């Protein structure tokens, strides 16, 4: 078994390489460059989320049955195919193909790597460090995102188009495939060999039973739907807000519109991900200062609801700098939320079905995101009336995702917070 410091470095390297997605700061802009309207973009995002939805639970069950490291390698291979297809595609059906592979890659990855980390923590006798260790490794993911935003901004500035960043993203994905393939076999300890598809099916059924029958886990999934069902859709609209704001600013007038957008979007995303990295690393301190896990979750819910309300006001009144600031703050909240929330699943769930349970959680969020994406795109298309650059006041529908947040917070107040291990002993 590698030394603890070495494995922490490997876990952190995974996140760093995974988030070297040089197109992240320009995904919507790149699709707009190809003449796709917001409803079409929402449709592509929905395809990605539906593909993730359809693959999510089987991927977790397969990970628990065949080995989590193997499923992670499959995930990275799907990313490579997706990025190459996004960079080379000139037709809509190829973009759909790319999004299917993207969603499948997300499904095989999401939740699986976290269970590898938690398995390692149990082997080290460090289960009480869940939030701290996961927050630390996630902080490196965000540092990768910050660096990729700056590199992508330079690439777009030089080339004058957004498509080249897709092809470059395939390189770190391939390097990550090698990193994951060489993880120690001991991280798959506890997974019975030779079960095959029958064992995967049993994990799938048992995972569903656990979520349905154990109220503490069921409540955690509902929290995920409320908090993260809309965030994957909303976060990318920062690009459109930056584009609309840059046009109105008397700065860099000697540069083309694409170059100005590249500079400001790249810088905005770099700041967002740098602060998100700090937030993720500090999640355990936020948890402690809040008085524990559940009080910390309550605070994040309230801050998110208030932020969405301010964002809506900023967009309607056309205050671009405030809207950009709120998008960045929402990213910080999301990266405080995730390490704390995922630790709740490891606290209340069954270790042997950890990947399956987290896959069910991610699948539920993906399904909600698939509904939000085209709905928000439709409203923005109507309000922007076909303008090439959507005005700020046409972007307010992104704040509709605050509705489930408000309902979830009211539900938590009415029913009380989940109590760890309240239903049955952890198996």
């Amino acid at each position: 078994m590698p030394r603890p410091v070495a494995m922490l470095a490997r876990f952190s390297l995974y996140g760093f390489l995974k988030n070297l997605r040089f197109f992240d700061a320009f995904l919507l802009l790149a699709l707009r460059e190809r003449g796709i309207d917001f409803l079409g973009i929402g449709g592509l995002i929905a395809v990605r989320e539906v593909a993730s939805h359809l693959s999510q639970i089987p991927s977790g069950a397969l990970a628990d049955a065949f080995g989590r490291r193997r499923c992670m390698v499959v995930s990275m291979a799907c990313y490579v195919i997706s990025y190459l297809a996004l960079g080379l595609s000139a037709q809509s059906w190829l973009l759909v193909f790319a999004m299917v592979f993207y969603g499948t890659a997300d499904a095989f990855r999401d939740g699986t790597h976290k269970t590898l980390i938690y398995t390692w923590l149990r082997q080290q006798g460090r289960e009480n460090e869940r939030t701290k260790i996961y927050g630390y490794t996630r902080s490196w993911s965000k540092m990768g995102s910050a660096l990729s935003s700056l590199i992508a901004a330079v690439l777009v500035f030089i080339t004058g188009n957004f498509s080249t960043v897709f092809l470059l993203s395939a390189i770190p994905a391939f390097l990550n495939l090698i990193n994951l393939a060489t993880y120690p076999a001991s991280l798959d300890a506890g997974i019975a060999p030779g079960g095959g598809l029958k064992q995967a099916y049993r994990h799938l059924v048992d995972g569903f039973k656990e979520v349905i029958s154990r109220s503490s886990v069921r409540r955690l999934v509902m929290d995920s739907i409320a908090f993260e069902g809309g965030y994957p859709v909303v976060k990318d609209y920062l690009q459109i807000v930056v584009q609309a704001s840059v046009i109105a600013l008397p700065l860099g007038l000697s540069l083309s519109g694409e170059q100005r957008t590249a500079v400001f979007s790249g810088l905005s995303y770099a700041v967002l991900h740098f602060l998100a990295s700090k937030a993720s690393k500090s999640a355990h301190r936020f948890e402690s200062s809040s008085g524990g896990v559940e009080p910390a979750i309550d605070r994040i819910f309230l801050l998110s609801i208030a932020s969405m309300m301010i964002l809506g006001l900023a967009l309607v009144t056309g205050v671009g700098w405030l809207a950009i600031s709120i998008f960045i703050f929402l990213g910080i909240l999301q990266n405080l939320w995730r390490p704390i929330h995922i630790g709740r699943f490891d606290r209340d769930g069954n270790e042997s079905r950890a990947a399956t349970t987290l896959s069910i959680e991610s699948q539920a969020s993906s399904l909600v995101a698939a509904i939000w994406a085209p709905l928000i795109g439709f409203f923005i298309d109507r309000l922007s009336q076909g303008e090439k650059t959507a005005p700020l006041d046409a972007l307010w529908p992104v704040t509709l995702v605050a509705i489930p947040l408000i309902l979830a917070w009211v539900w938590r107040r009415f029913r009380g917070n989940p109590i760890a291990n309240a239903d049955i002993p952890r198996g």
Side-chain angles (χ1 to χ4, degrees):
M1 166 72 77
R3 291 181 300 172
V5 173
M7 277 315 302
L8 275 178
R10 297 284 296 278
F11 292 147
S12 300
L13 178 63
Y14 156 78
F16 182 80
L17 291 173
K18 172 181 68 70
N19 279 28
L20 286 179
R21 297 172 175 172
F22 301 110
F23 60 84
D24 256 2
F26 305 108
L27 177 61
L28 265 62
L29 295 174
L31 295 175
R32 291 285 287 170
E33 184 182 59
R34 299 181 188 186
I36 303 174
D37 61 17
F38 287 107
L39 179 58
I41 291 173
L44 286 172
I45 294 174
V47 167
R48 182 188 69 191
E49 298 301 325
V50 168
S52 178
H53 173 79
L54 293 175
S55 305
Q56 196 68 250
I57 295 178
S59 71
L62 288 170
D64 287 335
F66 285 104
R68 294 156 188 169
R69 292 177 305 135
R70 293 187 182 95
C71 284
M72 292 300 301
V73 169
V74 170
S75 171
M76 290 303 116
C78 288
Y79 277 132
V80 171
I81 295 170
S82 174
Y83 299 161
L84 292 176
L86 284 168
L88 298 173
S89 62
Q91 297 177 328
S92 296
W93 71 269
L94 283 174
L95 291 174
V96 172
F97 170 85
M99 286 299 189
V100 168
F101 270 85
Y102 197 141
T104 302
D106 277 347
F108 274 83
R109 171 191 63 78
D110 209 11
T112 305
H113 194 262
K114 300 176 188 67
T115 60
L116 289 173
I117 294 175
Y118 293 140
T119 296
W120 180 78
L121 286 174
R122 277 187 285 273
Q123 291 173 351
Q124 298 290 316
R126 299 169 66 178
E127 297 98 318
N128 62 333
E129 297 182 58
R130 294 184 191 98
T131 300
K132 181 179 180 181
I133 296 300
Y134 178 55
Y136 176 81
T137 59
R138 185 177 174 85
S139 73
W140 276 100
S141 300
K142 295 303 158 184
M143 289 301 292
S145 296
L147 179 61
S148 72
S149 298
L150 294 175
I151 294 174
V154 173
L155 287 171
V156 174
F157 184 88
I158 293 172
T159 62
N161 68 76
F162 299 106
S163 297
T164 54
V165 291
F166 291 117
L167 296 175
L168 191 60
S169 300
I171 298 173
F174 179 75
L175 294 175
N176 217 2
L177 186 154
I178 297 172
N179 175 43
L180 290 161
T182 55
Y183 270 18
S186 60
L187 293 180
D188 275 335
I191 296 176
L197 292 175
K198 184 180 291 186
Q199 183 178 335
Y201 174 75
R202 285 199 301 269
H203 273 286
L204 181 59
V205 172
D206 290 343
F208 265 120
K209 287 180 179 178
E210 180 168 11
V211 171
I212 293 170
S213 64
R214 193 181 295 194
S215 64
S216 58
V217 177
R218 190 167 64 246
R219 290 170 183 169
L220 299 185
V221 172
M222 295 306 296
D223 280 354
S224 294
I225 290 172
F227 195 90
E228 298 187 89
Y231 184 75
V233 179
V234 169
K235 68 182 179 65
D236 288 333
Y237 277 93
L238 172 58
Q239 302 160 30
I240 309 302
V241 171
V242 170
Q243 184 184 49
S245 301
V246 163
I247 289 175
L249 290 174
L251 298 173
L253 297 179
S254 62
L255 304 176
S256 69
E258 287 79 7
Q259 288 176 323
R260 293 168 70 196
T261 301
V263 170
F264 284 97
S265 186
L267 289 174
S268 297
Y269 271 85
V271 170
L272 187 160
H273 291 305
F274 177 76
L275 294 177
S277 171
K278 295 296 184 184
S280 187
K281 191 182 291 187
S282 303
H284 68 289
R285 287 193 285 271
F286 181 85
E287 178 185 302
S288 297
S289 66
S290 299
V293 173
E294 300 307 328
I297 294 295
D298 270 337
R299 287 178 66 183
I300 294 172
F301 263 112
L302 278 174
L303 288 169
S304 299
I305 292 167
S307 298
M308 281 293 182
M309 291 179 177
I310 297 171
L311 177 60
L313 182 63
L315 292 172
V316 169
T317 57
V319 186
W321 65 267
L322 180 58
I324 292 170
S325 300
I326 295 299
F327 268 100
I328 291 173
F329 186 61
L330 287 169
I332 293 171
L333 290 176
Q334 206 272 341
N335 284 278
L336 285 174
W337 157 274
R338 195 64 182 164
I340 298 172
H341 181 57
I342 290 300
R344 299 159 87 200
F345 279 95
D346 190 63
R347 177 196 68 187
D348 294 351
N350 187 310
E351 176 187 350
S352 66
R353 293 187 291 274
T356 307
T357 304
L358 286 175
S359 290
I360 293 172
E361 178 255 353
S362 294
Q363 191 213 33
S365 299
S366 295
L367 179 60
V368 174
I371 296 170
W372 277 122
L375 186 64
I376 290 173
F378 171 79
F379 284 130
I380 292 176
D381 274 337
R382 290 286 181 174
L383 292 170
S384 60
Q385 298 179 338
E387 293 185 43
K388 184 177 180 181
T389 301
L392 285 174
D393 61 0
L395 299 175
W396 71 261
V398 299
T399 61
L400 292 173
V401 300
I403 296 172
L405 276 174
I406 296 169
L407 294 175
W409 184 81
V410 170
W411 178 261
R412 286 173 63 82
R413 294 295 87 206
F414 178 71
R415 293 298 300 269
N417 288 335
I419 299 174
N421 307 316
D423 303 293
I424 55 177
R426 190 173 180 273

